[in-house]
Amino acid sequence: MFDIQKSKYLDFLSKFGVGGAHPGGMALTKELLRAENISNTSQILDVGCGTGQTAAYLASTYKAFVTGIDFNSIMVAKAQNRMKKYHLPVNIIEASIEQIPLRDKQFDLIISESVLSFVNKSKALDEIYRLLKYGGRFIAIEFTMNQMLDKKSMDEIEQFYGFDTLLLKKDWVALFNDAGFQTIRIRKNQQSLSSSPEFQHSQNIERELYDVMNQHIEMNLKYDGILDYRIYSCTK
Ligand SMILES: C[S@@+](CC[C@H](N)C(=O)[O-])C[C@H]1O[C@@H](n2cnc3c(N)ncnc32)[C@H](O)[C@@H]1O
C-alpha cells in the first residue's frame, strides 16, 4: 500500500510539531501522573519527549526537576522554545534513548510516551533502568497488538511508522522483566481518554508529509481495535 522506503512518520510529527503524540494524549498523561507520588523535589525524565508538552506540564504543575531527551533535532528545538517561552527550568537534551548521556540512579520517575516502539527496546530499557533510583518508577504508554497479526499487516505497520518491532502484551512484559523491573502493572485504557493534539508547525513543510498525515489517519482506521496500546508501569 505504501511506497515509502524509509518511514517519514517521525518527520511528519516533528515538522507539524505534534504535541501529546501518544495514545490517550495529554488527558491520559495527566491522569497517570496524578496517581504517582510527585513533589517539588522529584527528579523526572521524559524519554522521547517530542515537543516537550509533558515535560513542561510536570515542571509547571508539580515544580519538579525535569529533564527531557529526544534524538530529533527539530523536536528538541521546539521543546527548548517551549521552555524558554514559559520560563520553565527544564533541561532538554538531544540524545538517543539507547545511549543516554546522564549519570546512573538519578531519577525518581521516568516516563516514555509512545517511544519504545521505535527503538531497540532492550538497549533503551537497560538505559532507563540504569538511570532510575532504587524504588524509582517507570511508566510507558506503548503500542501493543491485541492479537498476533499476519506478516503483511505487521510489515505494513512497522514500515509506515518505522517501528523497530511490534509487540504483544506478553512480549513487553518479558522485556521489562529482562531489564530487571519489578511489580509490572498493565492497564488497558477503558475509557476513551483522549485529547486533541497540539501543533507547532515548522515554516516549510514538505508536501509529502501531508500525505503521511493522511496515511496515518487511514492506518488508524484500518487497524482500529487491532493496533492498540497499554499503559505499563513498573518499579526498580
Ligand atoms: C510518537 S512521538 C512521541 C513524542 C512525545 N513523547 C509525545 O507523546 O508527544 C515519538 C518520539 O520519540 C522520539 N524518538 C524516537 N526514537 C528515539 C530515540 N532513539 N531516542 C530518543 N528519542 C527518540 C521521536 O523523535 C519522537 O519525538
Side-chain angles (χ1 to χ4, degrees):
M1 177 180 178
F2 300 107
D3 55 0
I4 295 171
Q5 292 304 308
K6 180 184 171 301
S7 172
K8 296 273 179 196
Y9 179 69
L10 290 179
D11 294 341
F12 148 68
L13 286 183
S14 63
K15 284 287 183 88
F16 279 74
V18 184
H22 55 269
M26 280 307 287
L28 175 61
T29 300
K30 289 176 186 177
E31 191 210 283
L32 294 176
L33 294 176
R34 267 197 300 276
E36 297 296 318
N37 191 13
I38 303 174
S39 74
N40 62 0
T41 61
S42 301
Q43 294 279 353
I44 306 178
L45 176 66
D46 182 2
V47 288
C49 63
T51 66
Q53 207 183 10
T54 295
Y57 176 78
L58 280 162
S60 60
T61 307
Y62 296 97
K63 314 291 178 224
F65 296 97
V66 186
T67 303
I69 68 153
D70 203 288
F71 80 154
N72 179 304
S73 57
I74 299 173
M75 289 295 202
V76 167
K78 289 182 179 179
Q80 286 171 338
N81 284 343
R82 181 195 298 275
M83 305 315 162
K84 206 167 156 193
K85 182 171 172 192
Y86 296 105
H87 306 289
L88 293 169
V90 174
N91 186 18
I92 301 289
I93 301 169
E94 186 173 330
S96 172
I97 188 176
E98 295 172 13
Q99 194 174 6
I100 305 177
L102 293 171
R103 65 178 166 76
D104 298 2
K105 303 188 195 80
Q106 59 171 303
F107 294 100
D108 300 291
L109 174 67
I110 300 183
I111 183 161
S112 110
E113 300 180 297
S114 189
V115 180
L116 296 178
S117 296
F118 297 92
V119 306
N120 179 315
K121 295 164 191 56
S122 302
K123 277 191 188 170
L125 288 171
D126 285 350
E127 281 295 80
I128 289 166
Y129 190 85
R130 176 180 72 76
L131 293 170
L132 271 180
K133 293 177 186 170
Y134 286 110
R137 302 261 304 140
F138 175 51
I139 305 175
I141 303 171
E142 295 297 341
F143 283 108
T144 303
M145 291 183 290
N146 279 335
Q147 68 212 40
M148 199 59 198
L149 292 177
D150 58 275
K151 185 170 177 335
K152 190 161 164 272
S153 303
M154 296 250 295
D155 286 350
E156 182 180 51
I157 296 170
E158 288 176 359
Q159 279 168 27
F160 177 71
Y161 287 105
F163 286 161
D164 181 68
T165 40
L166 205 48
L167 301 182
L168 294 162
K169 184 176 73 179
K170 69 174 175 54
D171 304 322
W172 281 111
V173 172
L175 282 169
F176 292 126
N177 272 320
D178 286 351
F181 289 102
Q182 299 184 357
T183 336
I184 301 160
R185 297 221 159 81
I186 308 154
R187 192 178 124 191
K188 185 170 169 24
N189 211 35
Q190 298 297 337
Q191 319 134 312
S192 49
L193 251 189
S194 73
S195 44
S196 310
E198 177 207 72
F199 294 95
Q200 276 187 59
H201 297 92
S202 294
Q203 277 191 336
N204 299 310
I205 300 182
E206 298 84 346
R207 202 46 273 148
E208 65 173 332
L209 296 183
Y210 286 87
D211 298 337
V212 173
M213 178 170 63
N214 290 330
Q215 287 165 355
H216 165 58
I217 294 166
E218 281 174 27
M219 292 286 278
N220 267 328
L221 293 172
K222 183 171 178 184
Y223 292 105
D224 184 35
I226 298 170
L227 181 57
D228 208 343
Y229 72 98
R230 297 289 184 283
I231 301 144
Y232 301 90
S233 67
C234 44
T235 306
K236 174 169 172 177

